[in-house]
Amino acid sequence: AAAQGRVGGERDGEIVFRSFWASLVRQAQLVDLERFPELCLSLKRMLEFIARIYTDKILVDELDDRGHTPRQSLPEFLYDFHLELLGDPILAQEACINVVANVKRYSQQSPRARMFARFLLLDPAHPLNLDNLNTFLLALVKIQKGMLPILPNHDYLNVEASRGSKVVEYIFSQAPYIIK
């Protein structure tokens, strides 16, 4: 399920990836999207991209679970996603830098971009860890009854109150990563 660049669960590998990711985030802060508008995604395209990443992550997580392989954090998954797509580590890094720059651009105006930024550990004051991501993605799957797209290309998702209650009950009673 994992791409060739996967770090896995090794402690040293996790430290190396965290340093690598921090470097990408610093580089993304230097990207001038006003000066290079060709690097800018529209909000609609950003939201579509986020939905695609969540959908692909859900599928890869399922394969990881079946193979008894630890799930990846969203930063690890995003890098591997681009590595598989582009086939080149340098291009994958550049793509991640562009994604991070665009996510940061929209994180103040879009709740979905802000949540994605937190899962990507771009907000040091409010990071969301892998267990938070797993819970969120499980909720999306249950709310959408497994239907695609997992999220629309706009910021809000309407859910019936009874459906939302059932999803919350399920998650907090069934999900193995929820500590009771």
Side-chain angles (χ1 to χ4, degrees):
Q4 50 198 327
R6 182 169 191 154
V7 173
E10 301 170 7
R11 175 132 354 254
D12 290 340
E14 288 174 8
I15 292 168
V16 169
F17 187 84
R18 268 187 264 146
S19 298
F20 169 75
W21 184 251
S23 171
L24 289 183
V25 171
R26 283 191 300 277
Q27 291 175 61
Q29 291 170 336
L30 301 174
V31 173
D32 186 351
L33 294 174
E34 300 300 322
R35 188 167 169 221
F36 299 101
E38 67 276 8
L39 298 177
C40 290
L41 295 175
S42 67
L43 179 57
K44 180 181 177 186
R45 295 247 351 251
M46 183 83 256
L47 296 178
E48 289 169 349
F49 176 79
I50 291 170
R52 178 179 179 194
I53 291 299
Y54 286 154
T55 301
D56 287 4
K57 175 90 170 85
I58 290 164
L59 297 172
V60 169
D61 284 351
E62 181 65 26
L63 294 173
D64 286 346
D65 292 349
R66 288 180 186 186
H68 306 288
T69 305
R71 291 181 176 189
Q72 292 177 292
S73 68
L74 194 58
E76 289 171 315
F77 177 79
L78 186 67
Y79 174 74
D80 278 0
F81 171 86
H82 283 102
L83 186 59
E84 277 189 33
L85 182 69
L86 302 169
D88 179 278
I90 301 301
L91 294 177
Q93 288 176 37
E94 290 173 358
C96 286
I97 290 167
N98 189 44
V99 167
V100 168
N102 276 279
V103 168
K104 284 179 140 318
R105 176 178 184 225
Y106 289 117
S107 65
Q108 295 307 308
Q109 73 185 74
S110 164
R112 188 172 310 152
R114 186 170 31 262
M115 173 93 60
F116 195 68
R118 292 179 68 193
F119 287 132
L120 287 175
L121 311 176
L122 304 181
D123 182 355
H126 303 101
L128 292 171
N129 66 27
L130 182 58
D131 287 340
N132 300 140
L133 176 62
N134 291 336
T135 303
F136 175 73
L137 294 178
L138 178 60
L140 286 180
V141 168
K142 293 298 179 184
I143 286 169
Q144 295 293 72
K145 299 179 185 177
M147 301 296 290
L148 296 176
I150 201 76
L151 286 168
N153 62 2
H154 51 82
D155 257 318
Y156 301 97
L157 179 66
N158 293 323
V159 179
E160 295 174 18
S162 63
R163 177 108 190 105
S165 294
K166 288 177 185 173
V167 167
V168 169
E169 264 180 37
Y170 173 83
I171 289 172
F172 284 92
S173 67
Q174 301 294 320
Y177 29 83
I178 298 291
I179 297 172
K180 297 174 177 87

mmCIF file of all heavy atoms in Angstrom, residues 133-169:
data_model
loop_
_atom_site.group_PDB
_atom_site.id
_atom_site.type_symbol
_atom_site.label_atom_id
_atom_site.label_comp_id
_atom_site.label_asym_id
_atom_site.label_seq_id
_atom_site.Cartn_x
_atom_site.Cartn_y
_atom_site.Cartn_z
ATOM 1 N N LEU A 133 -6.968 12.379 12.931
ATOM 2 C CA LEU A 133 -7.227 12.195 11.498
ATOM 3 C C LEU A 133 -8.032 10.923 11.257
ATOM 4 O O LEU A 133 -9.011 10.928 10.500
ATOM 5 C CB LEU A 133 -5.916 12.143 10.714
ATOM 6 C CG LEU A 133 -6.031 11.862 9.215
ATOM 7 C CD1 LEU A 133 -6.813 12.957 8.496
ATOM 8 C CD2 LEU A 133 -4.646 11.705 8.607
ATOM 9 N N ASN A 134 -7.655 9.837 11.913
ATOM 10 C CA ASN A 134 -8.382 8.570 11.752
ATOM 11 C C ASN A 134 -9.849 8.726 12.156
ATOM 12 O O ASN A 134 -10.746 8.231 11.469
ATOM 13 C CB ASN A 134 -7.734 7.466 12.591
ATOM 14 C CG ASN A 134 -6.377 7.065 12.058
ATOM 15 O OD1 ASN A 134 -6.069 7.231 10.895
ATOM 16 N ND2 ASN A 134 -5.545 6.535 12.942
ATOM 17 N N THR A 135 -10.086 9.415 13.255
ATOM 18 C CA THR A 135 -11.453 9.638 13.725
ATOM 19 C C THR A 135 -12.235 10.481 12.724
ATOM 20 O O THR A 135 -13.378 10.173 12.376
ATOM 21 C CB THR A 135 -11.438 10.317 15.107
ATOM 22 O OG1 THR A 135 -10.680 9.504 16.007
ATOM 23 C CG2 THR A 135 -12.837 10.531 15.649
ATOM 24 N N PHE A 136 -11.618 11.544 12.243
ATOM 25 C CA PHE A 136 -12.250 12.432 11.268
ATOM 26 C C PHE A 136 -12.607 11.678 9.983
ATOM 27 O O PHE A 136 -13.727 11.782 9.466
ATOM 28 C CB PHE A 136 -11.318 13.611 10.979
ATOM 29 C CG PHE A 136 -11.811 14.536 9.910
ATOM 30 C CD1 PHE A 136 -12.869 15.398 10.152
ATOM 31 C CD2 PHE A 136 -11.204 14.556 8.662
ATOM 32 C CE1 PHE A 136 -13.321 16.269 9.158
ATOM 33 C CE2 PHE A 136 -11.650 15.418 7.673
ATOM 34 C CZ PHE A 136 -12.713 16.278 7.923
ATOM 35 N N LEU A 137 -11.663 10.897 9.474
ATOM 36 C CA LEU A 137 -11.912 10.176 8.219
ATOM 37 C C LEU A 137 -12.989 9.105 8.405
ATOM 38 O O LEU A 137 -13.817 8.896 7.516
ATOM 39 C CB LEU A 137 -10.613 9.566 7.682
ATOM 40 C CG LEU A 137 -9.552 10.577 7.243
ATOM 41 C CD1 LEU A 137 -8.294 9.863 6.765
ATOM 42 C CD2 LEU A 137 -10.082 11.524 6.179
ATOM 43 N N LEU A 138 -12.985 8.434 9.550
ATOM 44 C CA LEU A 138 -14.033 7.460 9.829
ATOM 45 C C LEU A 138 -15.397 8.146 9.867
ATOM 46 O O LEU A 138 -16.378 7.632 9.314
ATOM 47 C CB LEU A 138 -13.766 6.733 11.149
ATOM 48 C CG LEU A 138 -14.813 5.707 11.584
ATOM 49 C CD1 LEU A 138 -14.963 4.591 10.552
ATOM 50 C CD2 LEU A 138 -14.441 5.132 12.942
ATOM 51 N N ALA A 139 -15.461 9.310 10.488
ATOM 52 C CA ALA A 139 -16.723 10.057 10.533
ATOM 53 C C ALA A 139 -17.185 10.417 9.128
ATOM 54 O O ALA A 139 -18.365 10.277 8.797
ATOM 55 C CB ALA A 139 -16.559 11.317 11.383
ATOM 56 N N LEU A 140 -16.267 10.860 8.269
ATOM 57 C CA LEU A 140 -16.638 11.187 6.888
ATOM 58 C C LEU A 140 -17.210 9.980 6.161
ATOM 59 O O LEU A 140 -18.223 10.082 5.466
ATOM 60 C CB LEU A 140 -15.434 11.719 6.106
ATOM 61 C CG LEU A 140 -14.966 13.122 6.410
ATOM 62 C CD1 LEU A 140 -13.765 13.472 5.537
ATOM 63 C CD2 LEU A 140 -16.079 14.129 6.190
ATOM 64 N N VAL A 141 -16.546 8.835 6.308
ATOM 65 C CA VAL A 141 -17.014 7.618 5.639
ATOM 66 C C VAL A 141 -18.411 7.264 6.119
ATOM 67 O O VAL A 141 -19.297 6.950 5.316
ATOM 68 C CB VAL A 141 -16.032 6.447 5.877
ATOM 69 C CG1 VAL A 141 -16.640 5.123 5.441
ATOM 70 C CG2 VAL A 141 -14.722 6.700 5.146
ATOM 71 N N LYS A 142 -18.626 7.319 7.429
ATOM 72 C CA LYS A 142 -19.929 6.953 7.985
ATOM 73 C C LYS A 142 -21.010 7.967 7.605
ATOM 74 O O LYS A 142 -22.132 7.592 7.288
ATOM 75 C CB LYS A 142 -19.848 6.813 9.513
ATOM 76 C CG LYS A 142 -19.003 5.654 9.958
ATOM 77 C CD LYS A 142 -19.574 4.347 9.463
ATOM 78 C CE LYS A 142 -18.748 3.168 9.856
ATOM 79 N NZ LYS A 142 -19.247 1.914 9.288
ATOM 80 N N ILE A 143 -20.674 9.239 7.647
ATOM 81 C CA ILE A 143 -21.646 10.276 7.282
ATOM 82 C C ILE A 143 -22.060 10.133 5.819
ATOM 83 O O ILE A 143 -23.229 10.232 5.477
ATOM 84 C CB ILE A 143 -21.085 11.685 7.570
ATOM 85 C CG1 ILE A 143 -21.096 11.944 9.078
ATOM 86 C CG2 ILE A 143 -21.873 12.764 6.834
ATOM 87 C CD1 ILE A 143 -20.337 13.184 9.500
ATOM 88 N N GLN A 144 -21.096 9.881 4.962
ATOM 89 C CA GLN A 144 -21.367 9.783 3.525
ATOM 90 C C GLN A 144 -21.786 8.370 3.117
ATOM 91 O O GLN A 144 -21.986 8.118 1.939
ATOM 92 C CB GLN A 144 -20.142 10.207 2.720
ATOM 93 C CG GLN A 144 -19.770 11.664 2.885
ATOM 94 C CD GLN A 144 -20.797 12.587 2.296
ATOM 95 O OE1 GLN A 144 -21.880 12.738 2.832
ATOM 96 N NE2 GLN A 144 -20.461 13.206 1.189
ATOM 97 N N LYS A 145 -21.866 7.462 4.092
ATOM 98 C CA LYS A 145 -22.232 6.061 3.828
ATOM 99 C C LYS A 145 -21.317 5.436 2.775
ATOM 100 O O LYS A 145 -21.747 4.623 1.963
ATOM 101 C CB LYS A 145 -23.690 5.960 3.390
ATOM 102 C CG LYS A 145 -24.674 6.461 4.415
ATOM 103 C CD LYS A 145 -26.088 6.354 3.914
ATOM 104 C CE LYS A 145 -27.051 6.968 4.914
ATOM 105 N NZ LYS A 145 -28.426 6.950 4.454
ATOM 106 N N GLY A 146 -20.052 5.871 2.775
ATOM 107 C CA GLY A 146 -19.063 5.322 1.858
ATOM 108 C C GLY A 146 -19.183 5.831 0.435
ATOM 109 O O GLY A 146 -18.455 5.387 -0.443
ATOM 110 N N MET A 147 -20.079 6.771 0.177
ATOM 111 C CA MET A 147 -20.286 7.290 -1.181
ATOM 112 C C MET A 147 -19.227 8.328 -1.529
ATOM 113 O O MET A 147 -18.725 9.032 -0.663
ATOM 114 C CB MET A 147 -21.682 7.927 -1.290
ATOM 115 C CG MET A 147 -22.829 6.977 -0.981
ATOM 116 S SD MET A 147 -22.974 5.614 -2.137
ATOM 117 C CE MET A 147 -23.512 6.474 -3.580
ATOM 118 N N LEU A 148 -18.913 8.397 -2.812
ATOM 119 C CA LEU A 148 -17.971 9.399 -3.298
ATOM 120 C C LEU A 148 -18.727 10.472 -4.062
ATOM 121 O O LEU A 148 -19.737 10.181 -4.672
ATOM 122 C CB LEU A 148 -16.931 8.740 -4.205
ATOM 123 C CG LEU A 148 -16.021 7.716 -3.511
ATOM 124 C CD1 LEU A 148 -15.107 7.075 -4.532
ATOM 125 C CD2 LEU A 148 -15.219 8.361 -2.404
ATOM 126 N N PRO A 149 -18.274 11.700 -4.081
ATOM 127 C CA PRO A 149 -17.081 12.182 -3.385
ATOM 128 C C PRO A 149 -17.311 12.232 -1.872
ATOM 129 O O PRO A 149 -18.428 12.428 -1.416
ATOM 130 C CB PRO A 149 -16.860 13.577 -3.954
ATOM 131 C CG PRO A 149 -18.225 14.035 -4.351
ATOM 132 C CD PRO A 149 -18.973 12.797 -4.773
ATOM 133 N N ILE A 150 -16.234 12.052 -1.151
ATOM 134 C CA ILE A 150 -16.309 12.026 0.301
ATOM 135 C C ILE A 150 -16.687 13.405 0.846
ATOM 136 O O ILE A 150 -17.296 13.523 1.888
ATOM 137 C CB ILE A 150 -14.989 11.488 0.917
ATOM 138 C CG1 ILE A 150 -15.220 10.987 2.338
ATOM 139 C CG2 ILE A 150 -13.878 12.485 0.866
ATOM 140 C CD1 ILE A 150 -15.903 9.669 2.413
ATOM 141 N N LEU A 151 -16.320 14.450 0.103
ATOM 142 C CA LEU A 151 -16.667 15.828 0.462
ATOM 143 C C LEU A 151 -17.004 16.599 -0.808
ATOM 144 O O LEU A 151 -16.407 16.350 -1.860
ATOM 145 C CB LEU A 151 -15.491 16.518 1.154
ATOM 146 C CG LEU A 151 -15.197 16.103 2.585
ATOM 147 C CD1 LEU A 151 -13.855 16.652 3.034
ATOM 148 C CD2 LEU A 151 -16.293 16.584 3.515
ATOM 149 N N PRO A 152 -17.919 17.562 -0.723
ATOM 150 C CA PRO A 152 -18.214 18.402 -1.892
ATOM 151 C C PRO A 152 -17.094 19.416 -2.111
ATOM 152 O O PRO A 152 -16.201 19.558 -1.275
ATOM 153 C CB PRO A 152 -19.522 19.100 -1.488
ATOM 154 C CG PRO A 152 -19.492 19.124 0.001
ATOM 155 C CD PRO A 152 -18.738 17.889 0.431
ATOM 156 N N ASN A 153 -17.159 20.139 -3.242
ATOM 157 C CA ASN A 153 -16.108 21.117 -3.542
ATOM 158 C C ASN A 153 -16.436 22.498 -2.966
ATOM 159 O O ASN A 153 -15.998 23.506 -3.475
ATOM 160 C CB ASN A 153 -15.843 21.192 -5.043
ATOM 161 C CG ASN A 153 -17.061 21.650 -5.820
ATOM 162 O OD1 ASN A 153 -18.103 21.948 -5.245
ATOM 163 N ND2 ASN A 153 -16.940 21.691 -7.124
ATOM 164 N N HIS A 154 -17.208 22.511 -1.915
ATOM 165 C CA HIS A 154 -17.448 23.732 -1.149
ATOM 166 C C HIS A 154 -17.274 23.382 0.320
ATOM 167 O O HIS A 154 -17.133 22.211 0.673
ATOM 168 C CB HIS A 154 -18.835 24.327 -1.448
ATOM 169 C CG HIS A 154 -19.954 23.341 -1.317
ATOM 170 N ND1 HIS A 154 -20.524 23.018 -0.113
ATOM 171 C CD2 HIS A 154 -20.573 22.574 -2.250
ATOM 172 C CE1 HIS A 154 -21.465 22.116 -0.299
ATOM 173 N NE2 HIS A 154 -21.511 21.815 -1.589
ATOM 174 N N ASP A 155 -17.278 24.391 1.178
ATOM 175 C CA ASP A 155 -16.851 24.187 2.557
ATOM 176 C C ASP A 155 -17.812 23.466 3.479
ATOM 177 O O ASP A 155 -17.397 22.937 4.482
ATOM 178 C CB ASP A 155 -16.481 25.526 3.196
ATOM 179 C CG ASP A 155 -14.983 25.691 3.277
ATOM 180 O OD1 ASP A 155 -14.300 24.721 3.625
ATOM 181 O OD2 ASP A 155 -14.498 26.785 3.001
ATOM 182 N N TYR A 156 -19.082 23.437 3.169
ATOM 183 C CA TYR A 156 -20.023 22.928 4.164
ATOM 184 C C TYR A 156 -20.685 21.636 3.724
ATOM 185 O O TYR A 156 -20.939 21.410 2.555
ATOM 186 C CB TYR A 156 -21.062 24.006 4.497
ATOM 187 C CG TYR A 156 -20.369 25.229 5.031
ATOM 188 C CD1 TYR A 156 -20.084 26.303 4.203
ATOM 189 C CD2 TYR A 156 -19.923 25.272 6.347
ATOM 190 C CE1 TYR A 156 -19.394 27.409 4.686
ATOM 191 C CE2 TYR A 156 -19.239 26.363 6.834
ATOM 192 C CZ TYR A 156 -18.976 27.427 5.999
ATOM 193 O OH TYR A 156 -18.291 28.499 6.476
ATOM 194 N N LEU A 157 -20.965 20.789 4.686
ATOM 195 C CA LEU A 157 -21.605 19.499 4.463
ATOM 196 C C LEU A 157 -22.790 19.417 5.404
ATOM 197 O O LEU A 157 -22.627 19.521 6.614
ATOM 198 C CB LEU A 157 -20.608 18.373 4.756
ATOM 199 C CG LEU A 157 -21.070 16.942 4.605
ATOM 200 C CD1 LEU A 157 -21.380 16.639 3.148
ATOM 201 C CD2 LEU A 157 -19.980 15.994 5.099
ATOM 202 N N ASN A 158 -23.987 19.304 4.847
ATOM 203 C CA ASN A 158 -25.181 19.199 5.675
ATOM 204 C C ASN A 158 -25.433 17.747 6.044
ATOM 205 O O ASN A 158 -25.405 16.870 5.185
ATOM 206 C CB ASN A 158 -26.401 19.761 4.931
ATOM 207 C CG ASN A 158 -26.291 21.250 4.721
ATOM 208 O OD1 ASN A 158 -25.784 21.954 5.586
ATOM 209 N ND2 ASN A 158 -26.746 21.726 3.576
ATOM 210 N N VAL A 159 -25.660 17.517 7.321
ATOM 211 C CA VAL A 159 -25.909 16.168 7.827
ATOM 212 C C VAL A 159 -27.145 16.221 8.712
ATOM 213 O O VAL A 159 -27.268 17.113 9.559
ATOM 214 C CB VAL A 159 -24.697 15.672 8.660
ATOM 215 C CG1 VAL A 159 -24.950 14.284 9.199
ATOM 216 C CG2 VAL A 159 -23.430 15.717 7.843
ATOM 217 N N GLU A 160 -28.054 15.268 8.514
ATOM 218 C CA GLU A 160 -29.229 15.187 9.385
ATOM 219 C C GLU A 160 -28.762 14.939 10.817
ATOM 220 O O GLU A 160 -27.807 14.190 11.043
ATOM 221 C CB GLU A 160 -30.116 14.018 8.970
ATOM 222 C CG GLU A 160 -30.749 14.129 7.623
ATOM 223 C CD GLU A 160 -31.485 12.840 7.266
ATOM 224 O OE1 GLU A 160 -31.786 12.024 8.167
ATOM 225 O OE2 GLU A 160 -31.744 12.665 6.069
ATOM 226 N N ALA A 161 -29.452 15.534 11.767
ATOM 227 C CA ALA A 161 -29.065 15.393 13.173
ATOM 228 C C ALA A 161 -29.070 13.929 13.608
ATOM 229 O O ALA A 161 -28.148 13.476 14.300
ATOM 230 C CB ALA A 161 -29.997 16.215 14.057
ATOM 231 N N SER A 162 -30.072 13.175 13.191
ATOM 232 C CA SER A 162 -30.131 11.769 13.606
ATOM 233 C C SER A 162 -28.967 10.978 13.011
ATOM 234 O O SER A 162 -28.384 10.125 13.678
ATOM 235 C CB SER A 162 -31.462 11.138 13.203
ATOM 236 O OG SER A 162 -31.608 11.122 11.795
ATOM 237 N N ARG A 163 -28.625 11.275 11.773
ATOM 238 C CA ARG A 163 -27.491 10.602 11.129
ATOM 239 C C ARG A 163 -26.193 10.965 11.854
ATOM 240 O O ARG A 163 -25.350 10.122 12.116
ATOM 241 C CB ARG A 163 -27.398 11.005 9.657
ATOM 242 C CG ARG A 163 -26.230 10.407 8.946
ATOM 243 C CD ARG A 163 -26.688 9.330 7.972
ATOM 244 N NE ARG A 163 -25.535 8.624 7.482
ATOM 245 C CZ ARG A 163 -25.198 7.408 7.886
ATOM 246 N NH1 ARG A 163 -25.929 6.768 8.734
ATOM 247 N NH2 ARG A 163 -24.136 6.820 7.409
ATOM 248 N N GLY A 164 -26.024 12.254 12.160
ATOM 249 C CA GLY A 164 -24.839 12.702 12.886
ATOM 250 C C GLY A 164 -24.710 12.028 14.242
ATOM 251 O O GLY A 164 -23.621 11.610 14.641
ATOM 252 N N SER A 165 -25.819 11.887 14.951
ATOM 253 C CA SER A 165 -25.802 11.222 16.258
ATOM 254 C C SER A 165 -25.374 9.773 16.131
ATOM 255 O O SER A 165 -24.580 9.278 16.936
ATOM 256 C CB SER A 165 -27.190 11.264 16.904
ATOM 257 O OG SER A 165 -27.543 12.568 17.204
ATOM 258 N N LYS A 166 -25.891 9.080 15.120
ATOM 259 C CA LYS A 166 -25.529 7.676 14.911
ATOM 260 C C LYS A 166 -24.045 7.534 14.591
ATOM 261 O O LYS A 166 -23.383 6.616 15.071
ATOM 262 C CB LYS A 166 -26.371 7.068 13.783
ATOM 263 C CG LYS A 166 -27.801 6.844 14.180
ATOM 264 C CD LYS A 166 -28.615 6.300 13.016
ATOM 265 C CE LYS A 166 -30.079 6.198 13.413
ATOM 266 N NZ LYS A 166 -30.922 5.843 12.281
ATOM 267 N N VAL A 167 -23.527 8.451 13.803
ATOM 268 C CA VAL A 167 -22.106 8.412 13.448
ATOM 269 C C VAL A 167 -21.249 8.620 14.690
ATOM 270 O O VAL A 167 -20.292 7.891 14.933
ATOM 271 C CB VAL A 167 -21.777 9.448 12.346
ATOM 272 C CG1 VAL A 167 -20.277 9.640 12.201
ATOM 273 C CG2 VAL A 167 -22.403 9.030 11.022
ATOM 274 N N VAL A 168 -21.597 9.611 15.500
ATOM 275 C CA VAL A 168 -20.834 9.879 16.720
ATOM 276 C C VAL A 168 -20.889 8.670 17.649
ATOM 277 O O VAL A 168 -19.863 8.242 18.195
ATOM 278 C CB VAL A 168 -21.345 11.160 17.419
ATOM 279 C CG1 VAL A 168 -20.744 11.302 18.809
ATOM 280 C CG2 VAL A 168 -21.027 12.380 16.572
ATOM 281 N N GLU A 169 -22.073 8.093 17.818
ATOM 282 C CA GLU A 169 -22.203 6.890 18.648
ATOM 283 C C GLU A 169 -21.316 5.767 18.140
ATOM 284 O O GLU A 169 -20.616 5.109 18.905
ATOM 285 C CB GLU A 169 -23.660 6.397 18.649
ATOM 286 C CG GLU A 169 -24.453 6.869 19.806
ATOM 287 C CD GLU A 169 -25.887 6.337 19.728
ATOM 288 O OE1 GLU A 169 -26.106 5.183 19.294
ATOM 289 O OE2 GLU A 169 -26.769 7.106 20.105
#
